[in-house]
Amino acid sequence: MSETAAEKTADADADAGKEQSQETNTSKLLETDEAVREDDELANIVTAEEYLMSKDIVLLEYEKQMFLDLVHADGLLVCAKGLSYERALVHILKAYSDAGNLILIINGSDWEEQYYKSKMEAKYVHEVANTATERERVYLEGGLQFISTRILVVDLLKQRIPIELITGIVVLRAHTIIESCQEAFALRLYRQRNKTGFVKAFSNSPEAFTIGYSHIERTMRNLFVKQLYIWPRFHATVRGALKPWQAQTIELHVPLSQHMTSIQTHILDIMNFLVREIKRINRNVDMEAVTVENCVTKKFHKILQAQLDCIWHQLNSQTKLIVADLKILRSLMISTMYHDAVSAYALMKRYRSTEYALSNSGWTLLDAAEQVFKLSKQRVYNGQQEFEPEPCPKWQALTELLTQDISHKSHGQEQPKVLILCQDARTCYQLKQYLTQGGPRFLLQQALHHEVPVGNLSDSYARESQSIAAGTAAATSKVDHPNSGAAAVEASQPAAAGIDELAQLLSETDAEAQHFEESYMLTMSQPSLSQEKQPKADPNTSIFETIPELEQFDVTAALEAAAHRKQPYVCLQTFKTEREGSMALEHILEKLQPHHVVMYNTNVTAIRQLEVFEAHRCLPPAERMKVYFLIHARTVEEQSYLTSLRREKAAFELIIETKSKMVVPEYQDGKTDEAFVLYKSYDDEPGDNAQSRQAGGQKQPQGQKETPKVIVDMREFRSDLPCLIHKRGLEVLPLTISIGDYILTPEVCVERKSISDLIGSLNSGRLYNQCVQMQRHYAKPILLIEFDQNKPFHLQGKFMLSQQTAATNADIVQKLQLLTLHFPRLRLIWSPSPYATAQLFEELKLGKPEPDPCLAVALGSEEPVAGEQLQYNSGIHDFLLRLPGVHTRNVHGLLRKGGSLRQLLLRTQTELSEMLQSQECGKLLYDILHVAHLPEKDEVAGSTALLAAGKQFGAGSHNRFRKAAVEARRGRR
């Protein structure tokens, strides 16, 4: 038996040895596989230069340089509009796409986010989760994260995101980064705990960096970058990359009609008069930006806002009327230049009314204004007052271009593809209706839409009036018919809001019944016309039709349908779209590959996008697309385009000059602790003066000081204040609290209100309930009324209130007075800006204990708070406090011994005096409960009026006053 046992033991040992050796071999194999995989991964790692040399990377020379600059160093890249840093950024994101990297992309718009996601591999792009737990898991998966900054800031403060493991942050639209914004807050939190990750920022708005004092330096400081890369259009590398591949450009100068030229001249005269007037009234105000040239440009309202916002309350009413009228005149100029005669006349009529004449600055009384109204009417009606509107000057030029020049030059080749670019969705719709319906019918429809009286038609329009009913019927019944030449915009298609502010200015009347799309695809329904030797195309004929395949904007299907019919096709497109932004043009160029591009309106960004597109195609000169510019020479349109070019050039020159003189500290990148020295540190020792009082400056043994904490409600992260509090060295604790917005100490609770929020809360009664909760749970409740830092801050007396706002302001003041009367402990603080509020919070916390986060969250919730001994109904407590003789020192005794309200009414005056520990308080309470009160002596006039009213309305009225008086006299006897 022993031998058998020994054999079994030996066999077991042998089996164990075999298993151990197998496990060892398996582990060695695994280690070998991991080593081989690591070697393969290391072999795949390439430098940035080698990455660019791969076959599938197609970048222009300046785009390659952008890529290399940003890969090798952190920095801010500012490029000209239309040069599209997007391609370089796409390849930067691809280079960092790996599960081992965590890249955060912040401050991007929706269309930018969609664009970059479409260019990346899906496995590396992670959607932002809704719950905090899910987000923690997603962060650990690495890859690319497009995240809203508000969520990112809260996750950084709560340490849900592994800050040390973040590879880098990419900041889009860097020109919007200011010191108090959430993006700057997130970058500061990131840099304080991550010294190795990168920060790469991009902007394509050089003009934004010219507003304010040293904007570019402050932006770089907020971004924690030291390098500035500037890429203007006149950069030598950019010119070298684009010049060899220039497209064939043809400028067509379209003259304005005589009436349009006169209207333009008169509007400019009125603008010039108003500009001189506003400068005469405000001699002490810097009005350098208010010029006629700026008045007709796109960014006029932004320039005006930056110039006048800080002194708006000091301007008189005439100045404010002039500013409003300059905007109106600009809209009239735009309507005259870009829209049809009927729409322009309809807009003019709105400002010819008596109501507007009484409320404007007086420009409607000028002779030039009278001429403007008269000429606008003459554009619609002829000398016999017959309806005969003049067509837009560019319509005829566009028709000739499409039917003759483009068709003849493309004869014998594949059917031409034409892209027509417009400034906004309204112009796009106008051209689509004109090309599919003809000019007269479209103008007649506009007259009916704008309720312009048609009256008698001229001979040329008589035929249109007879067929208009049939035409409208055809427009509704033939929507789905592929050959309907008069197809209108489908009512089922959603209205697309125009991005350009020109459409917004004039959308009040037109958006009601007309739906403007941002893209239309047409095809020529009568190609035989191109072969006829007609000197001019008949504007009454409709030779284009819509393509049914484009109802869902399926460009590929539309192109196939048009190619199958062997017909030319025309695409109408705005420079920008709401869904794709400025990348919409690049998208349609890649899909359409047009032979001809017609710039119906001028746009700097679009022109450069065409240049970049042609440079990427690298085609021989004969095969390159032809670009036609339809422009009104020596007009406001041309001047506006030249002004935008001049502004951009001046902005780049300023940035280049600033860079040459800029002093960048070595610690600005935040990779050393020196960058945060300027923020207050509460671990420092007291100053020398304080130390000299303590035993001749000897160091006292003391523990390390705790960083002051402020509890902030999660909803408050929409504002700038948490960022500025953190910058002053206070620790921000984001929690969901139901009472107050900021908890500074166990006793101090702050409810922050902006001006608009204050007015809304007072009117709805919400503020009253919030104050009730704050006063019940905190000893020192505070209502903070905070003004916008970009607006003027001034406290004004009643004598300064204007007529328009007197009633509203007085109402608000009265409600605030009632609030302070109801809540004696409530303190009101008026703060001019979030910066002042952050400083105030810091001073309020000096030497005070820190708030308890658990208690702050529990207060106001359904569950009882630990240690809170509330043995009474809070409603009864508040009611008793409002009775005479009851105050905070005796209310608890009354609650304990009073029993109930019914028992309280049965108590004698002596018993009440014992409960309240004061005979005077007991008498006041007894009288209010049992004695009916007559008016005081100073209210005799009021009581006399009541008695007189009683006699008037009936003998039985107000008898209770007499009875109460008689009973009171008996009681005294």
Side-chain angles (χ1 to χ4, degrees), residues 244-523:
W245 311 102
Q246 283 184 338
Q248 304 173 59
T249 306
I250 301 165
E251 275 194 30
L252 300 175
H253 289 181
V254 181
L256 289 176
S257 68
Q258 186 177 354
H259 288 154
M260 290 176 70
T261 307
S262 301
I263 291 173
Q264 176 187 263
T265 306
H266 290 309
I267 291 179
L268 288 175
D269 286 344
I270 299 170
M271 281 185 168
N272 194 28
F273 169 76
L274 292 180
V275 166
R276 281 190 280 110
E277 189 71 10
I278 199 173
K279 290 184 177 179
R280 183 187 64 79
I281 296 172
N282 304 278
R283 295 184 185 278
N284 299 325
V285 180
D286 181 18
M287 292 282 182
E288 186 181 352
V290 184
T291 63
V292 176
E293 182 186 1
N294 285 340
C295 286
V296 297
T297 55
K298 182 180 174 184
K299 300 287 179 69
F300 171 62
H301 65 290
K302 291 184 179 178
I303 297 170
L304 210 60
Q305 190 175 3
Q307 193 86 13
L308 300 178
D309 244 2
C310 57
I311 57 167
W312 189 252
H313 64 286
Q314 299 174 4
L315 302 176
N316 59 20
S317 58
Q318 182 68 8
T319 304
K320 295 178 180 179
L321 288 174
I322 291 175
V323 169
D325 288 343
L326 284 172
K327 292 181 180 179
I328 288 170
L329 286 167
R330 181 172 169 270
S331 69
L332 295 179
M333 178 74 80
I334 290 162
S335 182
T336 303
M337 297 293 297
Y338 300 126
H339 302 151
D340 58 273
V342 177
S343 300
Y345 174 60
L347 185 64
M348 291 282 184
K349 281 177 63 181
R350 290 171 53 191
Y351 300 109
R352 194 76 192 274
S353 62
T354 309
E355 293 80 6
Y356 179 72
L358 295 172
S359 63
N360 67 16
S361 61
W363 69 271
T364 52
L365 303 177
L366 299 175
D367 292 338
E370 188 62 32
Q371 289 296 318
V372 167
F373 294 134
K374 182 180 175 183
L375 291 166
S376 297
K377 187 174 182 180
Q378 288 177 4
R379 291 185 67 202
V380 180
Y381 301 99
N382 60 17
Q384 289 77 35
Q385 295 300 309
E386 294 177 333
F387 183 76
E388 189 178 3
E390 66 178 29
C392 294
K394 288 186 180 180
W395 285 358
Q396 186 65 33
L398 180 65
T399 305
E400 291 178 3
L401 195 63
L402 292 175
T403 56
Q404 297 177 24
D405 296 358
I406 291 176
S407 298
H408 285 314
K409 289 177 183 176
S410 304
H411 186 64
Q413 304 173 1
E414 63 173 312
Q415 292 301 324
K417 290 176 282 188
V418 184
L419 176 63
I420 302 176
L421 296 176
C422 312
Q423 66 182 353
D424 58 5
R426 178 184 181 133
T427 310
C428 206
Y429 170 77
Q430 179 200 98
L431 288 181
K432 182 256 181 185
Q433 294 295 87
Y434 164 70
L435 290 173
T436 56
Q437 293 187 348
R441 175 174 290 175
F442 170 65
L443 291 172
L444 198 53
Q445 283 185 350
Q446 288 296 97
L448 296 175
H449 172 71
H450 291 292
E451 298 181 359
V452 174
V454 175
N456 296 325
L457 299 180
S458 64
D459 295 338
S460 60
Y461 277 74
R463 180 168 46 84
E464 286 296 324
S465 66
Q466 295 170 2
S467 61
I468 188 66
T472 52
T476 54
S477 63
K478 296 185 180 180
V479 164
D480 297 323
H481 198 276
N483 295 321
S484 62
V489 180
E490 291 81 354
S492 61
Q493 292 179 340
I499 298 298
D500 198 290
E501 55 136 353
L502 311 182
Q504 294 175 4
L505 277 171
L506 301 167
S507 61
E508 296 175 6
T509 54
D510 300 319
E512 296 172 2
Q514 287 179 308
H515 299 291
F516 299 147
E517 297 293 327
E518 293 164 331
S519 302
Y520 299 100
M521 186 76 81
L522 312 174
T523 183

Side-chain angles (χ1 to χ4, degrees), residues 561-582:
H564 179 69
R565 300 177 195 172
K566 297 182 180 179
Q567 296 169 341
Y569 32 86
V570 178
C571 179
L572 298 168
Q573 172 83 28
T574 53
F575 296 130
K576 290 181 180 180
T577 64
E578 190 175 15
R579 189 178 54 176
E580 296 182 281
S582 57

Side-chain angles (χ1 to χ4, degrees), residues 542-659:
S542 166
I543 60 170
F544 292 92
E545 65 182 23
T546 54
I547 297 181
E549 285 80 7
L550 204 73
E551 288 176 9
Q552 284 77 35
F553 200 63
D554 186 357
V555 178
T556 310
L559 290 177
E560 289 176 358
H564 179 69
R565 300 177 195 172
K566 297 182 180 179
Q567 296 169 341
Y569 32 86
V570 178
C571 179
L572 298 168
Q573 172 83 28
T574 53
F575 296 130
K576 290 181 180 180
T577 64
E578 190 175 15
R579 189 178 54 176
E580 296 182 281
S582 57
M583 298 308 294
L585 178 55
E586 182 182 318
H587 178 75
I588 195 67
L589 285 171
E590 289 176 358
K591 278 199 167 186
L592 192 63
Q593 297 287 329
H595 303 116
H596 307 273
V597 176
V598 179
M599 297 286 290
Y600 192 78
N601 304 115
T602 52
N603 183 279
V604 177
T605 307
I607 291 169
R608 289 176 183 158
Q609 284 179 304
L610 293 173
E611 287 184 302
V612 172
F613 172 72
E614 200 58 74
H616 274 281
R617 292 206 300 179
C618 301
L619 296 176
E623 298 179 18
R624 293 177 200 165
M625 63 183 177
K626 289 186 178 179
V627 182
Y628 298 89
F629 289 90
L630 294 179
I631 190 166
H632 296 304
R634 295 182 297 281
T635 62
V636 169
E637 182 184 25
E638 186 180 36
Q639 182 59 47
S640 178
Y641 172 69
L642 295 175
T643 302
S644 61
L645 280 178
R646 179 182 57 78
R647 272 202 200 141
E648 186 187 72
K649 185 182 178 186
F652 270 118
E653 287 172 350
L654 177 65
I655 294 172
I656 292 167
E657 183 185 2
T658 306
K659 184 180 179 181

